[in-house]
Amino acid sequence: AWAGYTTPVGVGLDAATGRLAEAGAERLARFADGLAAVGAAEPSVFCHSYGSVVCGLAAHELKAKDLVVFGSPGMRAENVAELGTSARVWAAKDPTDWIDRVPNVSFAGLGHGADPTGPSFGARRIPAEDAAGHGGYFAAGTSSLRAFAAIAEGDVR
């Protein structure tokens, strides 16, 4: 687990811009470089909420086999190709997640772009209908947790 960036507090200007995510993206890329330097296998990177903005900005530099975003406000890209990564990109969103009420726009530095779970984004969809809101994706017995485990184990194609 890595949590080496400053998260926005509440739903305000910091949450609506990429300022904190840009700093976090640099740190995440350096962390992944460190893993590669010691011979660790390419990781599957799981990115929740604003963390998916961090992952989107780091994607082109990130040495990862999978990028998994869930509860995402966007990745600061309009589609998988704009991420500039060779990693498989996965996305999940529970229909009761409040993040679904956040507009997927990008204008004058505000917003984080397209919904990664939208068909035009091009990410592989992960079932999450039973995740129960914004914080339930890793809850025991959920389809999202089963899918996350399979991705981390390399049991999916």
Side-chain angles (χ1 to χ4, degrees), residues 62-88:
L62 200 55
K63 294 172 180 71
K65 67 178 180 172
D66 295 287
L67 290 179
V68 183
V69 299
F70 48 103
S72 175
M75 299 181 75
R76 298 218 144 214
E78 291 306 308
N79 54 53
V80 168
E82 282 188 18
L83 294 173
T85 182
S86 60
R88 296 180 298 186

Side-chain angles (χ1 to χ4, degrees), residues 3-140:
Y5 72 101
T6 303
T7 60
V9 177
V11 182
L13 192 56
D14 280 341
T17 67
R19 183 180 66 85
L20 296 175
E22 289 166 3
E26 292 176 21
R27 292 184 197 117
L28 177 57
R30 281 196 311 271
F31 176 76
D33 286 347
L35 292 174
V38 297
E42 281 188 327
S44 293
V45 180
F46 292 80
C47 316
H48 179 244
S49 197
Y50 191 81
S52 64
V53 181
V54 174
C55 287
L57 291 172
H60 68 282
E61 294 183 60
L62 200 55
K63 294 172 180 71
K65 67 178 180 172
D66 295 287
L67 290 179
V68 183
V69 299
F70 48 103
S72 175
M75 299 181 75
R76 298 218 144 214
E78 291 306 308
N79 54 53
V80 168
E82 282 188 18
L83 294 173
T85 182
S86 60
R88 296 180 298 186
V89 179
W90 305 82
K93 183 170 54 178
D94 178 80
T96 65
D97 190 336
W98 62 262
I99 204 77
D100 205 27
R101 295 188 297 275
V102 173
N104 290 104
V105 298
S106 181
F107 179 74
L110 297 174
H112 304 299
D115 178 353
T117 64
S120 64
F121 193 82
R124 299 169 188 225
R125 286 297 305 265
I126 295 171
E129 292 73 26
D130 55 354
H134 194 62
Y137 294 93
F138 280 103

